[in-house]
Amino acid sequence: MTNLLWYPINPTLTDKGAFSALAFDDNGDELKPIQLDPGTDPFSQFRVLQSTFNVQLAANLGIGVGSIGGNYSSFILSYEAMIFTEKTVQSPIGGKIYGTRWGAGLRVVLKVSEAKSNVNFNFGAIAASSELGLVKVEYEINGIGINKPDILAVLPGPGDFNFANYKKILDAVDTVKTYMSQHATELQPKPFQVFVSDDNNKDIFTDARGILYGMRNIVSRNSMATAIANSKNKYNISTIKSAYARFQIFDDNVEPTKDQKRQAEDFLNT
């Protein structure tokens, strides 16, 4: 069976009840959220959910931040503090959707780019890296299923995603969590995540990491053979070789020149 993962999605639906973000798929009208069973409590658990995926997949799911453009060093991190219930099925809706999470809460979406060093893929680490100027971060915050605008006023406004705003968001999560626990009847459950194959994300994102790994080895002026050996099979060898091939390096044992090192640095900083 294909490998399945939960991914955040724009909860907006078409007038036919299908996901708006998937409306342009060949069978877009069939791609609907899986409904909860009648009488099911849509707010059975509270969890903080984090997921990382490539920029193109984020755009396809309707949750991109700013422009969807980005080089190999760009990725999306979604941080969701949600009260929810999920439903999964054996036969996927429209051949794609194996499950839906219905709920309410906060979604913070980060677009991370221009990484100048290895970045840990979690919310707090990215805030620290942004504070140090090691990454560029665009972000947006959305309330899902919350009909009381006042409660969302605790969220930080537009600005840099630094450690101060990171702390403000965590404080806001606590405030919203308390509100939701006390006003569950005022919440409106929305289909905010889908359980789908990770094939599209895995292939692109794994290749992106492999390219980044190759570029950083070129910056370190490691030979291709050294880069492949040090990767310990973590990255696809063909992907590493393609990074070196961008600079006309085809011999496994040739060390990159200073000029090739500079070009690789330019690539990582673009």
Side-chain angles (χ1 to χ4, degrees), residues 3-184:
N3 191 35
L4 302 174
L5 289 175
W6 288 100
Y7 287 108
I9 192 169
N10 188 319
T12 304
L13 303 179
T14 68
D15 55 3
K16 295 182 179 179
F19 284 107
S20 295
L22 306 177
F24 293 104
D25 285 29
D26 291 339
N27 59 338
D29 287 346
E30 301 175 27
L31 299 176
K32 301 178 180 181
I34 296 168
Q35 300 294 323
L36 298 176
D37 294 332
T40 299
D41 178 8
F43 307 120
S44 62
Q45 61 177 309
F46 175 86
R47 284 172 59 190
V48 172
L49 308 164
Q50 295 191 61
S51 52
T52 309
F53 40 96
N54 66 68
V55 175
Q56 185 59 56
L57 180 59
N60 292 344
L61 295 171
I63 59 168
V65 177
S67 66
I68 66 169
N71 57 30
Y72 284 113
S73 63
S74 299
F75 64 91
I76 297 292
L77 183 139
S78 174
Y79 177 95
E80 298 170 297
M82 306 293 295
I83 183 170
F84 69 95
T85 295
E86 65 189 45
K87 173 72 179 293
T88 60
V89 294
Q90 292 293 321
S91 299
I93 301 297
K96 295 182 179 180
I97 299 174
Y98 289 83
T100 304
R101 282 175 170 165
W102 292 80
L106 290 182
R107 170 181 288 165
V108 183
V109 180
L110 309 180
K111 179 183 176 184
V112 183
S113 60
E114 299 183 15
K116 295 180 174 61
S117 65
N118 289 320
V119 178
N120 290 323
F121 296 151
N122 68 68
F123 197 51
I126 289 173
S129 295
S130 179
E131 183 86 18
L132 295 171
L134 299 178
V135 293
K136 176 183 176 182
V137 183
E138 300 174 68
Y139 75 98
E140 68 177 34
I141 308 174
N142 295 303
I144 296 176
I146 299 175
N147 298 320
K148 187 176 176 60
D150 293 354
I151 195 64
L152 301 179
V154 299
L155 296 171
D160 294 333
F161 184 72
N162 50 30
F163 208 74
N165 276 340
Y166 164 73
K167 291 291 292 179
K168 289 179 182 178
I169 290 171
L170 293 187
D171 291 342
V173 167
D174 288 338
T175 300
V176 172
K177 179 182 177 181
T178 299
Y179 169 81
M180 292 191 299
S181 67
Q182 297 174 350
H183 301 85

Side-chain angles (χ1 to χ4, degrees), residues 201-266:
N201 184 56
K202 179 177 61 179
D203 292 343
I204 298 172
F205 196 46
T206 300
D207 283 352
R209 290 185 180 184
I211 290 288
L212 272 178
Y213 173 80
M215 290 295 174
R216 286 169 179 153
N217 272 271
I218 293 170
V219 168
S220 298
R221 299 188 66 189
N222 291 330
S223 69
M224 192 190 312
T226 298
I228 291 171
N230 290 343
S231 74
K232 298 179 180 179
N233 296 319
K234 186 176 180 180
Y235 305 107
N236 187 293
I237 291 176
S238 295
T239 304
I240 297 172
K241 287 185 174 182
S242 71
Y244 277 76
R246 289 177 65 96
F247 302 100
Q248 305 300 307
I249 301 174
F250 302 103
D251 189 318
D252 287 359
N253 298 308
V254 169
E255 294 182 357
T257 65
K258 290 182 179 179
D259 186 55
Q260 289 165 335
K261 166 187 167 76
R262 179 188 57 76
Q263 292 178 50
E265 288 174 334
D266 289 344

